[in-house]
Amino acid sequence: MGVSIFGLAWRSLMNRKVSAFLTIFAIALSVALFLGVEKARNAAKDGFDNTISGTELIVGAPSGQINLLLYSVFRLGNATAEISWPTYEAIAARNDVAWAVPISLGDNHRGYRVLGTTQSYFEHYKYGQRQSLAFAEGEMFDDLFDAVIGSEVAKQLGYEVETPLIITHGLGAGGLTDHDNRPFRVVGVLRPTGTPVDQTIHVSLEAITAIHVGWETGARNPLADNIPEETIRGFNLTPRTVTAVFIGLKNRATVLRTRRDLNTNMTEPLLAIIPGQALAELWQVMSTAERVLLAVSAFVIAVGLVSILTSILTSLNERRREMSILRATGARPSHIMTLLIAEAAVLGFMGAVLGAILIQIIFAVAAPILSAQYGVALMGTGPGLVDAYTIGAVTLAALFLGIWPAITALRRSLADGLTVKV
Amino acid sequence: MTQPIVSLSDLSFAWPGQPPVLDVKAFELNRGERLFLRGPSGSGKSTLLGLIAGVLEANSGAVHVLDQDLTELSGGQRDRVRADHLGVIFQMFNLVPYLSVVQNVVLPCRFSKRRLGEVQAAGGAEAEAKRLLARLGLSDEGLLSRNVTELSVGQQQRVAAARALIGNPALIIADEPTSALDADSRDRFIQLLSDEAQKTDAALLFVSHDGALAPLFDRAIDLAEINHAASIMEQA
């Protein structure tokens, strides 16, 4: 029978399509911004916390704990100094240390960092909820010039097992500084982890030493090219230094004591950090900015909500007659109130839903780009409770704001009586 | 003797801070009666209708509509009397622009259970709306599906008449409903409205400044005869 009050509100809005759509769009953009910031920040935090687990300590040359974390785990920036091989051996030989995995960074292949390490890396490096690295294809490096690549490297460069690759010296682009006299061959491709491992090319520590034969001065010595591969294989390829060491302890409870020991009682100055603690500190640095962003986006939602008020209040003048028609046909004040509050709520609800959809589209488009460019895997950005809460809160806020135009319209319609002074 | 459907006694009304515009000692409208109330613009006609419709409150006196004194009812109760028993037709722009012709006609059934019950007994709101529209000469499906703002003024007034009549209200009040119509459609409109009101035994209170319409009704009154408000006397 006829049209409900809600139907009236809807038809009335559709009668002012342009204004209604613009208002909905304003809300949608503000909600998308808010949800985007909220989701990105949670995803970033999760991604962060999940980057490394099961490693109790990371040891490097003294710098800052965030710096050490950034280059050893996130492959961001450079180590200012390295630690010597004997020191690594001393650490690995400690009674409280269960395992110690050395890593050596410094070269790249087409923008992807090359990490020299030992086979034990694949056994001990854990991410997320103590998940181990797994092979999608192939196996661990075994021969000197074998390489194991992360999933993103394989995907972006189209590499698979048996693909040859040339490592470039340092972090710059290829060309003159290519180690093109020592080509590698892919022997394994890792499964995706959502961590910087996906962007990494893993080779043995000995390989790192081998490709730098003839680079002792920091630049290429052309004569070194003439050294045959067999001769190089015959060299002692034990590295002189490593960049950092990942450590697992026999007993987690000794972590603080071991750290203090490493920081103070070694022959060489060292910095040992607890990854979780460093992650928390790094997160705190970022969280100030992230909280400011969140506050700004919340204010943008408030601006969006005000646009609902503007749109409904400005419509009231031209709708005086509509209100008195409704009153004359029997609408009670509660009907008029409900009509206008429903209009505000509909605008808020539709805007919020559209905003939630919009941010999903944006993430769907942006995720592959972020992942390829920055190695940031945005996980858990799909529709969730936060969307439901935001939609609910925005609708409720719009509903309360709708009381204002509702009261204005009601006062006028009561004063107008049956005749409208147009 | 039956009770009159509308009965005013010692009624006085003034807009806030202004001299009274209405001062009516006695006025009665009988059940089923079609009454013409003549008055120039600004004579307080619309105010009188607002009081009878219960959207305005009298300062003093009594306004009896269907045996209830509106002055003793709350705003909500007056709204209910209006929703249940009154049909209202304005001078123009009677229709809600975003509703279809039929949706406009059935609007009162949304606000009144009594009227909804009546139309459901008669075969449903929509069927009843279409029946009334057909009686008023609006049966063309193409016309009914048009946007109400695209209808001619005459057609709009007939839609408004159908809306006032739906659900058998006891009283139809019409405020200058024909002033925007030409002479031909004006007479036809009044005839149709009058016939339909008679069929459902509804009283019709028709207000206009145009005294020439008086012969089309059972009875005619000049508002100046019953309204003793000083401000109006001065104007006249």
Side-chain angles (χ1 to χ4, degrees):
Chain A
M1 149 6 297
V3 178
S4 67
I5 288 289
F6 206 68
L8 276 183
W10 175 251
R11 284 181 170 79
S12 157
L13 286 175
M14 286 301 101
N15 194 43
R16 291 171 282 127
K17 272 198 197 75
V18 176
S19 147
F21 179 77
L22 286 177
T23 309
I24 289 173
F25 197 61
I27 303 275
L29 285 181
S30 66
V31 167
L33 176 66
F34 177 81
L35 286 176
V37 168
E38 176 64 19
K39 280 168 190 284
R41 132 193 131 97
N42 284 331
K45 183 153 174 40
D46 285 352
F48 240 67
D49 293 345
N50 286 334
T51 308
I52 187 165
S53 74
T55 297
E56 267 96 32
L57 289 168
I58 300 173
V59 180
S63 56
Q65 76 164 349
I66 289 177
N67 191 31
L68 174 54
L69 182 78
L70 283 177
Y71 69 70
S72 66
V73 175
F74 292 95
R75 324 268 190 262
L76 291 170
N78 271 317
T80 46
E82 305 229 299
I83 57 182
S84 71
W85 185 254
T87 302
Y88 158 70
E89 286 185 313
I91 292 170
R94 286 173 62 96
N95 281 333
D96 50 357
V97 169
W99 52 266
V101 175
I103 61 165
S104 183
L105 291 156
D107 289 351
N108 84 95
H109 171 72
R110 300 179 63 178
Y112 295 102
R113 295 290 185 105
V114 174
L115 175 98
T117 185
T118 61
Q119 288 187 344
S120 60
Y121 179 86
F122 298 101
E123 185 188 337
H124 296 301
Y125 186 87
K126 303 259 167 63
Y127 66 99
Q129 308 303 311
R130 296 209 165 221
Q131 285 148 281
S132 297
L133 299 177
F135 283 84
E137 203 189 334
E139 54 193 7
M140 277 190 256
F141 50 74
D142 188 32
D143 185 62
L144 187 58
F145 294 114
D146 284 353
V148 170
I149 59 178
S151 63
E152 204 55 38
V153 179
K155 201 171 129 195
Q156 292 300 321
L157 301 181
Y159 287 5
E160 50 191 34
V161 171
E162 293 301 329
T163 305
L165 61 87
I166 302 286
I167 291 173
T168 303
H169 189 70
L171 301 178
L176 283 175
T177 56
D178 281 351
H179 294 291
D180 51 4
N181 53 339
R182 313 285 177 222
F184 282 75
R185 158 182 91 92
V186 175
V187 295
V189 178
L190 295 171
R191 283 188 200 281
T193 63
T195 72
V197 170
D198 296 350
Q199 273 84 34
T200 305
I201 294 164
H202 308 78
V203 300
S204 65
L205 279 175
E206 290 74 20
I208 297 285
T209 316
I211 58 175
H212 289 100
V213 169
W215 287 75
E216 290 76 7
T217 60
R220 185 179 195 157
N221 179 350
L223 294 175
D225 285 1
N226 300 328
I227 304 171
E229 201 179 302
E230 280 63 45
T231 315
I232 286 189
R233 286 178 187 274
F235 288 170
N236 174 12
L237 293 173
T238 305
R240 294 204 188 109
T241 61
V242 295
T243 311
V245 184
F246 291 162
I247 293 172
L249 297 177
K250 285 184 180 141
N251 179 359
R252 287 193 70 180
T254 68
V255 66
L256 289 175
R257 207 181 62 218
T258 309
R259 182 173 69 152
R260 193 176 55 241
D261 224 30
L262 290 171
N263 281 338
T264 52
N265 290 341
M266 300 297 283
T267 49
E268 181 181 350
L270 291 178
L271 174 68
I273 61 168
I274 298 168
Q277 217 174 64
L279 279 168
E281 189 187 319
L282 181 54
W283 187 252
Q284 220 164 23
V285 172
M286 317 227 299
S287 70
T288 314
E290 152 244 330
R291 268 186 225 132
V292 168
L293 256 180
L294 197 66
V296 168
S297 59
F299 273 109
V300 174
I301 287 195
V303 173
L305 286 169
V306 168
S307 76
I308 293 185
L309 264 188
T310 317
S311 121
I312 295 182
L313 280 173
T314 50
S315 78
L316 286 186
N317 263 337
E318 48 199 78
R319 295 173 69 194
R320 275 178 104 138
R321 178 164 290 275
E322 177 190 326
M323 296 303 150
S324 64
I325 293 168
L326 291 174
R327 288 279 291 148
T329 53
R332 289 186 283 284
S334 62
H335 290 125
I336 302 286
M337 294 276 288
T338 313
L339 172 66
L340 287 157
I341 291 173
E343 281 184 24
V346 166
L347 287 175
F349 176 75
M350 295 205 38
V353 168
L354 189 67
I357 293 170
L358 205 62
I359 196 61
Q360 289 304 326
I361 295 171
I362 290 171
F363 275 130
V365 172
I369 300 169
L370 279 175
S371 162
Q373 297 281 317
Y374 303 104
V376 182
L378 290 180
M379 281 180 289
T381 56
L385 270 182
V386 63
D387 301 78
Y389 287 142
T390 308
I391 291 169
V394 168
T395 308
L396 209 65
L399 197 143
F400 276 109
L401 282 177
I403 293 173
W404 179 358
I407 287 173
T408 310
L410 187 61
R411 276 214 194 111
R412 281 187 189 171
S413 79
L414 289 179
D416 283 347
L418 282 184
T419 40
V420 180
K421 296 116 201 159
V422 191
Chain B
M1 192 202 131
T2 55
Q3 284 281 321
I5 193 155
V6 177
S7 143
L8 310 179
S9 49
D10 300 321
L11 174 75
S12 159
F13 180 85
W15 294 102
Q18 288 174 25
V21 287
L22 277 179
D23 181 6
V24 179
K25 288 273 166 291
F27 168 83
E28 283 187 356
L29 173 64
N30 293 315
R31 285 180 197 266
E33 187 183 22
R34 287 165 295 175
L35 176 68
F36 180 76
L37 184 65
R38 196 193 77 81
S41 50
S43 62
K45 301 173 295 192
S46 298
T47 310
L48 182 66
L49 295 186
L51 287 163
I52 294 172
V55 288
L56 297 177
E57 270 186 283
N59 300 107
S60 63
V63 180
H64 283 275
V65 175
L66 285 150
D67 306 330
Q68 285 179 294
D69 186 354
L70 295 188
T71 58
E72 284 169 4
L73 300 183
S74 70
Q77 287 169 317
R78 291 201 306 271
D79 287 338
R80 210 168 286 276
V81 170
R82 177 174 69 256
D84 283 347
H85 303 293
L86 259 69
V88 181
I89 309 170
F90 298 115
Q91 189 171 358
M92 56 199 310
F93 306 122
N94 265 290
L95 307 180
V96 179
Y98 49 81
L99 295 180
S100 73
V101 170
V102 171
Q103 283 166 348
N104 260 288
V105 175
V106 301
L107 202 51
C109 306
R110 157 63 49 194
F111 301 121
S112 164
K113 284 209 176 69
R114 193 197 69 78
R115 284 166 94 153
L116 179 60
E118 290 266 347
V119 293
Q120 276 171 344
E126 205 160 300
E128 180 67 3
K130 285 191 170 155
R131 191 188 65 79
L132 279 167
L133 286 165
R135 292 284 268 287
L136 292 161
L138 299 171
S139 53
D140 182 30
E141 280 292 332
L143 190 103
L144 296 188
S145 64
R146 254 194 270 168
N147 198 320
V148 292
T149 51
E150 291 167 15
L151 300 180
S152 73
V153 179
Q155 286 164 339
Q156 288 188 23
Q157 293 304 81
R158 278 182 279 164
V159 174
R163 184 178 61 202
L165 288 161
I166 200 163
N168 300 331
L171 172 62
I172 309 287
I173 55 182
D175 187 2
E176 299 263 20
T178 57
S179 63
L181 303 181
D182 59 48
D184 266 3
S185 34
R186 182 192 64 196
D187 290 358
R188 227 162 69 81
F189 176 81
I190 294 176
Q191 200 56 55
L192 286 169
L193 179 62
S194 190
D195 287 352
E196 283 306 308
Q198 195 167 37
K199 275 193 193 110
T200 58
D201 207 24
L204 174 62
L205 179 55
F206 192 103
V207 177
S208 175
H209 68 281
D210 184 359
L213 300 176
L216 298 168
F217 296 86
D218 298 337
R219 185 159 67 104
I221 300 182
D222 212 316
L223 183 56
E225 289 171 19
I226 57 167
N227 184 9
H228 305 293
S231 56
I232 300 298
M233 299 306 279
E234 279 161 24
Q235 273 176 25

